[in-house]
Amino acid sequence: MHTVTAGIIDHVRRQDPEQHEFHQAVTEFMTSVDKIVDDIPDIVFDKVLERLVEPERVVMFRVPWMDDDGTLQINRGYRVQMNSAIGPYKGGLRFHPSVNLSIMKFLAFEQVFKNSLTGLSMGGGKGGCDFDPKGKSDHEVMRFCQSYMTELSRHIGEDTDVPAGDIGVGGREIGYMFGQYKRLNNKFVGVLTGKGPAWGGSFIRPEATGYGLVYLAGAILEGAGMGFEGRTCLVSGSGNVAQYTVEKLNQLGAKVVTLSDSSGVLHDPAGIDDKKLAWVKALKNVRRGRISEYAKQFPGCTYLPHNGAETSNPLWSVPADYAFPCATQNEINELDAKHLLENKIKLVAEGANMPTSAAALDLFRDAGVLFAPAKAANAGGVAVSGLEMAQNSSRLQWTPKEVDAYLLKIMKNIYANISTAAETYSRKGDFVDGANIAGFLKVADAMVAQGYV
Ligand code: NDP
Ligand code: 2IT
């Protein structure tokens, strides 16, 4: 490796030894960008890579809120404002007990290059809290969101930093946080995306990540002379991204046979058709239940609870053509990748952020499997967030058809850009290198132009 890229990997490991997810994201990125360091002297001279791994700002704060029993609860909130070279900070908020600074920094780092790939003017950021919305009443979630936003509101704004949803943050949470921001600032502005369509939200934002994932995967498959019709697919997770991935795959004639949540794995060999999917949406989004209930509702399925001691996830041992991990980071480990390869998986497209561990990624790349990395594959969500910002600025609302057509255009454009970058700087079809390099070049150019900030 180049001494600069190798030195940065070494630096981040020494500086924050416990931030494993951040190291993983930085290492993967530097390994790709390594291939162009010598071609662009400004990258080294202006210390672009050194600046990229240091967030412009990190806010970490106390979130006190009262539960339904009248007991005071304290959580830890974050917002990582990673890079604003090409636009205001933009990226989701995650509410999950696992949230820590390493996870926030890895997500914010990925977001910088993902947002660049959309072609829209958005910098990168991410935030969240170690709050667990599971099992909380709506009123508890509201009180928590109001407290979280009371502090966050000092740091964001429609031209400064525009958060959105991620794990544990959907329409309900965005609504409570938007209401509190408006109340504190007396301003109705597009400070959050993922709002309801009646109050400034964009149509197709809920669908965008899943639909965009399938559009990007479709472009890759088309390039390889393949398609969706009659193909068997694995989808993990059962939240926002998973649901709309299944919806679009069904529309295109594929059969999805799995879903999951953090408690276990569901296998439905008959396929999760639109009727069953509608039931899943009501289960997860309205009743906020568990995927295990599916197996009781629809006979002929198997549900395997996680016991916490497994070395591999049984979902990835189900034979299929294409895999769409849509739950969380590092959900495909080395053994899972071996199982997928033994079953001759043809495409892996990442709906979640960094769902493939470093060792698993090496196996997929060595095997030459079609691999769509998260920063390209799941960029549809933030892309439509960018379109929501545009609609808010112009005080207009586009039709669902218009937004969907724009999303498709953006995903096809991402495919074209990552393919060209792969061929130019790495090797044909290496979309990991392609996405890292194509996303990076635009940000690097802006950072050089804007001087040492
Ligand atoms: P949701 O909260 O809607 O759903 C998350 C799903 O993943 C749930 O089924 C959840 O199960 C499962 N899950 C979460 N954590 C774990 C875990 N540690 N182990 C196993 N399963 C887990 O989130 P989203 O669908 O929005 O997000 C899913 C992924 O997609 C994340 O990686 C996110 O960063 C990424 N993403 C999301 C975008 C968006 O627009 N929402 C855009 C781009 C990427 P349970 O209910 O048990 O927690
Ligand atoms: O990871 C992501 O891209 C998101 N969670 C969506 C971010 C956004 O601002 O819509």
Side-chain angles (χ1 to χ4, degrees):
M1 260 186 121
H2 197 286
T3 50
V4 170
T5 37
I8 294 168
I9 293 171
D10 188 52
H11 168 74
V12 296
R13 285 171 192 267
R14 279 168 195 270
Q15 192 177 38
D16 296 298
E18 77 294 354
Q19 292 181 1
H20 301 295
E21 293 84 2
F22 183 57
H23 302 160
Q24 185 182 338
V26 168
T27 303
E28 183 215 287
F29 172 81
M30 291 298 163
T31 308
S32 294
V33 168
D34 190 60
K35 300 178 175 77
I36 60 163
V37 176
D38 275 333
D39 300 344
I40 310 174
D42 284 349
I43 295 176
V44 177
F45 187 73
D46 288 339
K47 296 210 168 173
V48 171
L49 295 170
E50 288 85 341
R51 285 191 278 153
L52 272 174
V53 296
E54 196 60 44
E56 288 177 15
R57 189 174 301 104
V58 175
V59 195
M60 190 166 112
F61 51 94
R62 180 203 302 155
V63 187
W65 58 280
M66 202 70 89
D67 70 17
D68 285 346
D69 296 335
T71 304
L72 181 62
Q73 303 287 343
I74 312 290
N75 285 97
R76 179 174 286 179
Y78 301 86
R79 185 73 182 167
V80 176
Q81 298 180 331
M82 201 74 184
N83 193 295
S84 62
I86 63 167
Y89 308 108
K90 181 84 195 85
L93 298 173
R94 177 177 291 191
F95 294 166
H96 193 271
S98 65
V99 163
N100 59 33
L101 191 53
S102 174
I103 290 177
M104 293 286 97
K105 280 176 67 181
F106 114 67
L107 289 165
F109 185 75
E110 295 284 288
Q111 199 80 45
V112 173
F113 311 106
K114 181 195 307 190
N115 293 3
S116 165
L117 285 172
T118 66
L120 304 172
S121 173
M122 299 182 289
K126 198 85 185 190
C129 191
D130 60 2
F131 172 76
D132 188 356
K134 267 196 218 85
K136 306 288 189 299
S137 70
D138 283 353
H139 283 139
E140 287 178 320
V141 171
M142 189 199 298
R143 287 194 292 275
F144 166 79
C145 287
Q146 290 177 340
S147 180
Y148 179 83
M149 181 50 86
T150 300
E151 177 57 35
L152 186 70
S153 67
R154 306 168 196 272
H155 311 287
I156 61 175
E158 70 274 28
D159 294 321
T160 307
D161 183 353
V162 183
D166 193 82
I167 292 178
V169 178
R172 174 182 63 167
E173 292 74 18
I174 293 290
Y176 294 152
M177 288 190 278
F178 182 75
Q180 183 72 350
Y181 183 90
K182 181 163 60 70
R183 182 186 185 197
L184 289 168
N185 292 279
N186 199 22
K187 279 202 289 188
F188 192 115
V189 289
V191 68
L192 293 168
T193 58
K195 302 184 291 298
W199 39 282
S202 176
F203 288 114
I204 306 294
R205 177 62 189 87
E207 293 86 347
T209 311
Y211 280 19
L213 172 66
V214 179
Y215 292 155
L216 196 274
I220 290 179
L221 288 171
E222 198 183 322
M226 292 151 78
F228 287 113
E229 187 63 44
R231 296 299 188 150
T232 302
C233 301
L234 308 178
V235 173
S236 66
S238 48
N240 172 269
V241 180
Q243 290 168 19
Y244 289 102
T245 298
V246 177
E247 185 164 293
K248 187 52 75 178
L249 286 170
N250 284 348
Q251 284 172 17
L252 297 176
K255 179 165 94 165
V256 179
V257 294
T258 58
L259 281 174
S260 65
D261 59 23
S262 52
S263 310
V265 171
L266 173 83
H267 180 204
D268 182 352
I272 299 158
D273 60 21
D274 286 346
K275 223 173 102 213
K276 293 170 178 172
L277 179 62
W279 186 89
V280 170
K281 285 183 186 171
L283 170 79
K284 295 307 265 190
N285 311 344
V286 183
R287 290 199 284 123
R288 300 186 189 275
R290 311 301 296 157
I291 204 67
S292 58
E293 295 172 44
Y294 182 111
K296 293 179 199 136
Q297 181 73 15
F298 302 107
C301 325
T302 47
Y303 172 75
L304 267 178
H306 289 311
N307 63 23
E310 306 105 329
T311 50
S312 66
N313 182 340
L315 193 151
W316 307 121
S317 294
V318 175
D321 299 300
Y322 310 144
F324 297 85
C326 295
T328 193
Q329 63 274 356
N330 292 322
E331 58 170 309
I332 299 182
N333 67 21
E334 194 176 1
L335 195 52
D336 296 323
K338 282 186 183 152
H339 293 151
L340 285 163
L341 290 170
E342 277 161 19
N343 285 328
K344 306 219 168 353
I345 201 80
K346 292 169 194 71
L347 166 117
V348 179
E350 297 186 319
N353 284 305
M354 207 169 73
T356 310
S357 75
L361 181 59
D362 286 344
L363 289 182
F364 290 142
R365 288 170 97 178
D366 289 347
V369 166
L370 296 172
F371 186 87
K375 44 176 91 65
N378 72 30
V382 75
V384 172
S385 278
L387 303 183
E388 184 168 324
M389 290 167 72
Q391 292 169 76
N392 290 167
S393 300
S394 61
R395 301 199 187 282
L396 292 171
Q397 188 171 44
W398 308 340
T399 64
K401 213 170 149 193
E402 284 170 320
V403 180
D404 195 23
Y406 210 142
L407 171 64
L408 179 61
K409 197 170 96 181
I410 290 174
M411 299 314 292
K412 284 189 169 169
N413 198 33
I414 292 176
Y415 170 68
N417 288 339
I418 65 175
S419 305
T420 306
E423 277 193 54
T424 311
Y425 301 108
S426 173
R427 64 187 165 90
K428 192 171 182 310
D430 189 330
F431 303 120
V432 175
D433 281 348
N436 282 326
I437 293 171
F440 167 68
L441 285 173
K442 185 174 154 190
V443 178
D445 195 46
M447 287 176 73
V448 170
Q450 291 170 26
Y452 300 160
V453 293

